[in-house]
Amino acid sequence: MTQRRRGDRTLDSIDEKIVWELRREARISNNELAARVNVSPSTALTRLRSLRESGIITSTHAQYDMTALGLDLHAIVFVRLKPGAQSSSRDYAERAVTFVNVINVFLMGGSYDLLVHVACTSSDQLQQLVAQKIAADPVVASAQAHIVFEHLIAAQHMDHVDGFPVMRGERPLE
């Protein structure tokens, strides 16, 4: 059994299976989680608490229908910082993640310094967000918005993969 460490917490294959199943469906009942991982419900609950307390599981999120909430237009904004400002990309990211309508911010390597995922009600709202917030910061050299037509969440399509060892290449995909 392979074990991994995070701080003072050692992870084993059961812990990884618990995280894997929660990644697929965070609302799963403890009894169902225990059955999928092949442990008793009390063991599943104890391990889940330990994973949360140790910071391995940092939070649980609901996936929701943005269109039902009136946020029909999604975009990824590709942000390039001015030369020399890349060292402050974390500072900019921490400002950008607080802008209304920002869903996620990714710090990147490569042609762009950040990707900013946004959800808006209209192209007018998107244009204002990009022009007045994202691109208006003095460290930003350019910001290009690319419309998202559809968003697929990989964890919801991973029934053919049975865990992190497959993702790490430690075990073949069966």
Side-chain angles (χ1 to χ4, degrees):
M1 177 184 317
T2 302
Q3 294 190 334
R4 299 187 179 284
R5 289 194 65 73
R6 182 187 189 277
D8 59 353
R9 176 74 162 80
T10 300
L11 295 176
D12 63 15
S13 62
I14 294 170
D15 292 324
E16 285 194 355
K17 288 177 185 176
I18 289 171
V19 174
W20 182 262
E21 292 301 329
L22 292 173
R23 175 181 180 261
R24 293 179 58 215
E25 175 58 61
R27 296 182 310 172
I28 190 173
S29 72
N30 187 63
N31 287 340
E32 178 63 20
L33 177 62
R36 287 186 189 181
V37 177
N38 200 27
V39 297
S40 71
S42 62
T43 298
L45 187 59
T46 300
R47 284 180 175 252
L48 181 55
R49 282 185 184 141
S50 177
L51 289 164
R52 286 182 175 141
E53 289 169 2
S54 66
I56 307 282
I57 296 176
T58 58
S59 65
T60 314
H61 301 276
Q63 293 294 330
Y64 45 93
D65 182 346
M66 293 277 209
T67 300
L69 298 168
L71 298 165
D72 298 4
L73 182 64
H74 287 244
I76 304 295
V77 183
F78 292 75
V79 177
R80 190 173 285 129
L81 301 180
K82 291 180 179 174
Q86 285 78 12
S87 63
S88 62
S89 61
R90 175 70 187 200
D91 294 334
Y92 175 77
E94 288 178 1
R95 288 191 300 278
V97 79
T98 67
F99 299 158
V100 174
N101 299 89
V102 170
I103 306 299
N104 294 296
V105 175
F106 301 92
L107 284 86
M108 306 293 295
S111 300
Y112 296 94
D113 299 301
L114 297 103
L115 297 182
V116 182
H117 174 200
V118 302
C120 298
T121 60
S122 65
S123 59
D124 287 340
Q125 187 182 43
L126 173 60
Q127 182 182 14
Q128 288 177 5
L129 175 63
V130 173
Q132 296 174 8
K133 289 289 188 180
I134 295 173
D137 194 287
V139 300
V140 173
S142 68
Q144 297 177 335
H146 296 258
I147 303 300
V148 173
F149 293 125
E150 192 171 355
H151 173 206
L152 301 178
I153 299 166
Q156 296 172 349
H157 300 271
M158 288 287 178
D159 292 339
H160 65 289
V161 179
D162 70 347
F164 293 108
V166 174
M167 288 181 76
R168 290 190 299 261
E170 298 168 357
R171 195 172 65 231
L173 182 62
E174 297 173 3

